[in-house]
Amino acid sequence: FWLKLIFGSSTYKGGCQVAPMSVPGLSPCCNCCVAVPQDKYVAVEHFGKFDKVLTAGLQFAGFDCCGICINFRSVSARVDQTFVNVQTKTKDNVFVAARVAVQHAVKQESVELAMYKLSDVQGQIDSYVSDVVRSYLPAMTLDEAFEKKDDVSDAVQKKLTEEMDAFGLQIRKALVTEISPDASVVASMNEINKQKRLRDAALMAAEADKIKHVKAAEAAAHAAQLQGEGIARQRRAIIDGLRDSITHGTNEALSTQQISELLLITQYFETLRDVAANNKSSTVFLNHSAGAVADVASQIRNGVLQAGPAQMKMSSPGQNNTLLTQAARLKQ
């Protein structure tokens, strides 16, 4: 019972507190000895006047009579955290609520100041934090406030460190943990971001469709070029074969007009073949006779000869010479 009465009275209970509080001695009838917890600073008072600070462990404070001469006062040595909520507006007239967390502790060499100089630590910190936040955020836009939270934190910490040093408090860190605009502002910002992303997606889809059409056109042009080259080689092979078969064993050479008529004959019969191979019900009237091919050849030559003078008037002198040469060859 006596051990519990003596040692149990000095057991530390409760959380971290900055405000000073009285501590009873070990003896029920005097305050000669005291057990100082590791997480506390204990000050000795002689008739209410500060005398000294005791370190952790069992300490002898002096001679006392029934607790009249010596009293004890303690303050927590732990790091405490205080939350401050500040409401203000930004440069673009958006009201926001800023939440600032301040971590502070009592300096070991300034325990006397922390015990006797300041009565309301929470209120003092709240005032300084509100003053700094309300002087910084109104000079920033909402986007800048989110981007420069560290600048506000540094300003708060600097201000508190300068001001609270006179009260024996050490500011470990000041953090702007949250900046909360109004719910309608948050919804509008999300909508702006959503529409921006939708616009970017539409632009990307249009660009992809453009590339698809361009590539398809390039592929079609390349295919048409290859098809034309193939048809040209096919015509050349047919003409060479016909010419060799006609002039084989003779010394005769075919003229340009005869080669053109051979080509027209080949295309003429290919046209008849394509018309006959078409499964659609259509009727084509052709003047089909042996002399029709010669008529077609003469019509083409006449058309080229008639178009030559008209093109010569619109062309340069070099082009006129080329057209005259082509017309002379067809006439021959």
Side-chain angles (χ1 to χ4, degrees), residues 308 311-312 315-329:
Q311 292 181 356
M312 289 171 59
S315 303
S316 61
Q319 294 177 345
N320 292 337
N321 295 333
T322 304
L323 292 175
L324 288 173
T325 303
Q326 293 177 354
R329 289 180 179 177

Side-chain angles (χ1 to χ4, degrees), residues 90-94 137-147:
T90 59
K91 188 176 181 180
D92 46 356
N93 297 323
V94 178
L137 287 185
M140 302 178 181
T141 62
L142 183 60
D143 294 336
E144 292 175 348
F146 281 101
E147 294 173 359

Side-chain angles (χ1 to χ4, degrees), residues 113-153:
L113 296 175
M115 286 185 178
Y116 300 102
K117 291 278 289 185
L118 191 60
S119 61
D120 187 5
V121 178
Q122 171 72 31
Q124 194 78 3
I125 291 177
D126 189 286
S127 299
Y128 285 125
V129 171
S130 299
D131 179 66
V132 174
V133 171
R134 285 173 180 157
S135 63
Y136 266 78
L137 287 185
M140 302 178 181
T141 62
L142 183 60
D143 294 336
E144 292 175 348
F146 281 101
E147 294 173 359
K148 299 180 179 180
K149 287 197 305 180
D150 292 341
D151 295 344
V152 180
S153 299

Side-chain angles (χ1 to χ4, degrees), residues 91-109:
K91 188 176 181 180
D92 46 356
N93 297 323
V94 178
F95 282 88
V96 296
R99 183 177 175 87
V100 183
V102 180
Q103 300 171 358
H104 54 88
V106 176
K107 291 182 178 181
Q108 187 174 1
E109 65 275 10

Side-chain angles (χ1 to χ4, degrees), residues 194-214:
K194 175 184 175 182
Q195 295 300 328
K196 182 180 179 181
R197 298 303 178 98
L198 291 175
R199 184 187 63 182
D200 294 341
L203 289 176
M204 291 181 181
E207 189 69 22
D209 190 61
K210 172 186 174 183
I211 293 173
K212 186 189 299 183
H213 283 79
V214 169

